[in-house]
Amino acid sequence: MPNKPNVKKEKQAKKTAKSRPVLWLLVAVLVVAAIALTIVLGVSSAQRVLSFRGIRVDRDLYAYWQARYRYEYLQVNAPAGAYDTEGFWNSVMDETTGMTYGEDCEAQTQTRVLRIVTAAYLFDTSGLTLTDPQRQTIADGLNDLLTYRFDGDEKKFDEAAKPYGFSFSDVKKAYLYEYKAVNLPGHITLSDEQISSYYTTHYTRVQWLYLPASTPAETITHLRGQLASAAGANDRLTLFSSLLTDPEYNQNPAYSAYSDGYYFSTDSIYLDSFRDAFTETYPSTDGKKIYEAAFSLENPGDYTEVSTDDGLWVVMRYPLNYASIANDTYLESMFADLNELALADYLVSWLDSFAPEAKWKTGHAKTWVPHGQNSDLYLFF
């Protein structure tokens, strides 16, 4: 279980406001769209879908989440042309496991709901409270939804939402607890050690030599011989660094721009764009092979080769040093969001550590009834 963070109270609300981009990153991590943390008193066991430390989520509130995440799933995860139909939700997504799109969406919904409930619970039990301006923000959001979609009429909203199993009162609860969950990260401070651990665990730094296909065979043979004869990792790194600036062994046109190395993360959203850009430069080479080679290297000084019709790449892993980020302008700009990424990763681990305490009665959840190609789910979100 992760270490308990330093939770700061509302006196640091200004700092939270400055971290607005961070909050949106963490919203994506939590997938916070609607949440109900308030302890729902009087919810019968027949209506209860989830219980966690005295919090009870009833069928109607869970129906709101189902609708929210079905809508998001159709927008983000579903293949093009998919609609809210029984045929789509029952179609197989993974041939290996036999899992359907509907089952995958429901599994994601349960994970997200529990994270939201847990985050809001931790907000309350850490002694944090929403300020009056924050509560006004929630009220304004509800008013906008009602005004622009339903002419300010709750009855119209409830009539439209009835087929999906929830009402405006559920949305009001959801907005309140969503806001608590979203604001929790702004009160967590990670230590330098935790940030450094995230960096060294999730990132790989490499350099590579590029020898085009026209390179004489004896040059490649000599290069391999030099690397093989190096006494150890440190000697290999020293040798490799000298070869990077030798045009006989390195004709990488991008070296001057990446003289400090290439940084890859398995969590990065940029892997696909790197792959596309690399393959555009070297048409016979799948850029994915390059970052897969980087990830395959366990220790600094380890190296491997990628050979294609475009030539030969010799990829070597270089050491990571968190302290250098603060001292290097290039790295500092490159990792401007490192703290936020580390916090997002920490938060998910922390929230998920509470999962064993949750008690689910998924059989009590309302059965999702697809609304077809003309589904009006978008009205509520």
Side-chain angles (χ1 to χ4, degrees):
M1 181 182 297
N3 295 326
K4 187 176 181 181
N6 176 20
V7 180
K8 302 166 289 183
K9 296 191 176 183
E10 287 298 331
K11 63 183 180 180
Q12 295 193 1
K14 291 183 179 179
K15 181 177 180 180
T16 303
K18 292 180 181 179
S19 302
R20 201 172 191 85
V22 181
L23 295 183
W24 288 116
L25 168 69
L26 292 163
V27 168
V29 172
L30 289 169
V31 199
V32 173
I35 152 179
L37 166 69
T38 294
I39 296 178
V40 185
L41 301 177
V43 177
S44 71
S45 60
Q47 296 176 322
R48 192 181 310 155
V49 177
L50 169 64
S51 298
F52 173 74
R53 293 197 176 189
I55 303 166
R56 301 182 180 93
V57 177
D58 66 12
R59 297 177 68 194
D60 292 351
L61 196 48
Y62 191 74
Y64 177 83
W65 277 319
Q66 281 186 309
R68 173 74 186 198
Y69 296 130
R70 293 274 172 165
Y71 174 72
E72 287 192 0
Y73 196 98
L74 288 168
Q75 301 301 310
V76 178
N77 298 92
Y83 293 99
D84 182 27
T85 62
E86 186 174 354
F88 167 67
W89 294 118
N90 290 335
S91 61
V92 175
M93 178 197 75
D94 188 330
E95 295 291 344
T96 302
T97 63
M99 176 177 279
T100 65
Y101 285 103
E103 290 169 340
D104 182 51
C105 182
E106 184 61 23
Q108 290 190 32
T109 298
Q110 290 182 28
T111 297
R112 295 167 180 176
V113 167
L114 183 54
R115 285 177 180 171
I116 293 164
V117 168
T118 304
Y121 167 83
L122 293 170
F123 181 95
D124 281 347
T125 56
S126 295
L128 301 171
T129 58
L130 295 177
T131 63
D132 288 340
Q134 288 173 327
R135 290 183 179 277
Q136 186 59 51
T137 297
I138 297 171
D140 291 344
L142 288 164
N143 184 65
D144 288 345
L145 173 64
L146 204 60
T147 300
Y148 296 115
R149 296 288 176 83
F150 300 96
D151 302 321
D153 190 337
E154 285 191 29
K155 290 184 178 179
K156 284 187 177 181
F157 183 102
D158 289 347
E159 187 65 27
K162 186 176 180 179
Y164 298 101
F166 62 88
S167 66
F168 193 67
S169 64
D170 297 308
V171 181
K172 287 190 284 188
K173 295 175 187 176
Y175 272 46
L176 174 62
Y177 303 116
E178 169 188 321
Y179 209 79
K180 289 182 180 181
V182 171
N183 275 273
L184 176 66
H187 301 277
I188 298 174
T189 301
L190 298 185
S191 67
D192 287 342
E193 291 75 13
Q194 288 172 309
I195 298 172
S196 177
S197 176
Y198 173 82
Y199 175 51
T200 55
T201 301
H202 289 75
Y203 282 84
T204 295
R205 176 189 175 204
V206 297
Q207 271 290 12
W208 57 69
L209 303 171
Y210 170 59
L211 296 93
S214 58
T215 302
E218 55 269 24
T219 299
I220 295 176
T221 299
H222 188 246
L223 170 63
R224 288 170 174 164
Q226 290 186 78
L227 291 172
S229 63
N234 289 335
D235 285 351
R236 281 196 299 274
L237 285 165
T238 300
L239 171 64
F240 205 85
S241 295
S242 68
L243 294 173
L244 286 169
T245 58
D246 186 338
E248 182 179 5
Y249 296 104
N250 187 23
Q251 296 188 38
N252 176 11
Y255 171 69
S256 60
Y258 294 94
S259 59
D260 193 72
Y262 296 83
Y263 294 79
F264 292 100
S265 170
T266 53
D267 297 333
S268 176
I269 61 175
Y270 301 111
L271 290 179
D272 286 343
S273 59
F274 168 83
R275 177 183 185 177
D276 293 341
F278 196 91
T279 303
E280 183 177 349
T281 304
Y282 303 100
S284 298
T285 305
D286 184 348
K288 183 178 180 181
K289 291 184 178 180
I290 300 297
Y291 65 71
E292 284 182 339
F295 293 139
S296 73
L297 303 173
E298 295 185 4
N299 302 299
D302 290 353
Y303 66 96
T304 188
E305 296 182 1
V306 176
S307 181
T308 74
D309 290 343
D310 291 313
L312 174 70
W313 284 265
V314 182
V315 183
M316 179 172 287
R317 179 161 182 167
Y318 269 61
L320 288 167
N321 182 4
Y322 172 70
S324 70
I325 295 178
N327 301 323
D328 188 295
T329 302
Y330 172 74
L331 288 179
E332 187 177 19
S333 62
M334 183 175 181
F335 291 103
D337 60 352
L338 182 65
N339 287 19
E340 287 81 1
L341 293 170
L343 180 56
D345 181 76
Y346 173 88
L347 186 62
V348 168
S349 296
W350 188 35
L351 297 179
D352 288 351
S353 71
F354 292 90
E357 297 184 42
K359 296 180 180 179
W360 288 93
K361 293 186 177 180
T362 53
H364 293 179
K366 295 178 180 179
T367 301
W368 181 257
V369 179
H371 288 69
Q373 187 169 338
N374 297 318
S375 171
D376 56 2
L377 273 172
Y378 69 91
L379 289 173
F380 310 104
F381 313 111

